[in-house]
Amino acid sequence: MIKILLVDDHAVVRMGLKVLLNAVPDMEVVGEASEGDEGIKMALDLLPSIVLMDLSMPHGKDGLSATSELKKQLPDTEILILTMHDDEEYLFRAIQAGASGCVLKSAPHQELIDAIKTVCSGNAYLHPAATRRLMDQYLGNLKQDQQDLFQLLSDREKEVLTLIAKGYANKDIGEKLVISVKTVETHKSNLMEKLQMKTRPELVAYALKKGLLGYGI
């Protein structure tokens, strides 16, 4: 049985959630609180499987503060944030506070039920819109990281990378740049470490993406 504690400052919301969740065979609402401090006290007394925590509560502790405090005292109790804010800033703050997920109050009933089961099984839950935004942000950060890594290369390392991508062997690169083969190998090793790559094909693909094949040497 999944024991649920509701923490929300709106009595009507709590009533609706209680009716909905008590109708699910393996779920039971064991308590209700109207603000964060009360929620923490009830959680310590009732030891619920999961706390459904409202994010914005004007009196007492807000949802983020209560989540952070509750996770310190009951680390094994899962916390699922309920919010009206479809904003990644709130999502990040909730996760940092110790929540295992976040559900919009406007979400369909079945999504909330699925989210509770997901979190209680030890997994995290993010509503679909948040998942898409986090993925977009991750990909954007990845792209930015790659751009930043390229800036770590010296002019000579960029020249070596370009010639590698054009198919030149180390000996030919050395002759073209008037440096020893050993120095070429050193530059190659350094640029691979900076770009976090291990193979020549990775370097070639990276150089193509950066448009280095049009870079004349």
Side-chain angles (χ1 to χ4, degrees), residues 36-57:
D37 290 309
E38 183 185 11
I40 293 171
K41 183 178 183 302
M42 292 190 70
L44 293 172
D45 291 338
L46 298 171
L47 301 178
S49 312
I50 184 170
V51 177
L52 298 190
M53 183 78 73
D54 184 19
L55 188 64
S56 302
M57 293 180 286

Side-chain angles (χ1 to χ4, degrees), residues 199-206:
T199 67
R200 189 183 184 98
E202 284 182 297
L203 290 178
V204 174
Y206 180 78

Side-chain angles (χ1 to χ4, degrees), residues 124-154:
Y125 181 86
L126 300 177
H127 61 83
T131 302
R132 285 194 296 272
R133 284 201 303 276
L134 286 177
M135 182 60 70
D136 290 341
Q137 183 169 27
Y138 169 77
L139 293 175
N141 289 341
L142 183 62
K143 183 177 180 180
Q144 183 63 43
D145 287 343
Q146 290 177 336
Q147 292 173 342
D148 292 343
L149 290 175
F150 184 70
Q151 299 305 317
L152 297 176
L153 301 183
S154 67

Side-chain angles (χ1 to χ4, degrees), residues 2 17 32 48 83 95 100 122 124 128 170 175 180 187 192:
I2 298 175
L17 288 172
E32 302 175 46
T83 178
I95 292 174
S100 296
N170 288 351
E175 291 177 355
S180 68
H187 285 312
M192 290 182 78

Side-chain angles (χ1 to χ4, degrees), residues 4-29:
I4 304 167
L5 172 63
L6 304 177
V7 184
D8 193 297
D9 62 315
H10 291 97
V12 173
V13 172
R14 296 198 308 271
M15 181 176 65
L17 288 172
K18 185 174 182 178
V19 171
L20 168 68
L21 298 175
N22 281 341
V24 180
D26 57 348
M27 295 184 184
E28 179 186 6
V29 175

Side-chain angles (χ1 to χ4, degrees), residues 156 159-160 163 172-179 184 187 217:
R156 180 63 85 189
E159 290 176 337
V160 171
L163 292 172
D172 297 327
I173 294 174
E175 291 177 355
K176 195 167 185 65
L177 298 179
V178 195
I179 56 178
V184 172
H187 285 312
I217 297 178

Side-chain angles (χ1 to χ4, degrees), residues 168-194:
Y168 286 87
N170 288 351
K171 180 175 180 295
D172 297 327
I173 294 174
E175 291 177 355
K176 195 167 185 65
L177 298 179
V178 195
I179 56 178
S180 68
V181 172
K182 184 176 181 180
T183 300
V184 172
E185 292 173 348
T186 298
H187 285 312
K188 179 182 176 182
S189 176
N190 288 341
L191 70 89
M192 290 182 78
E193 182 177 354
K194 290 179 180 179

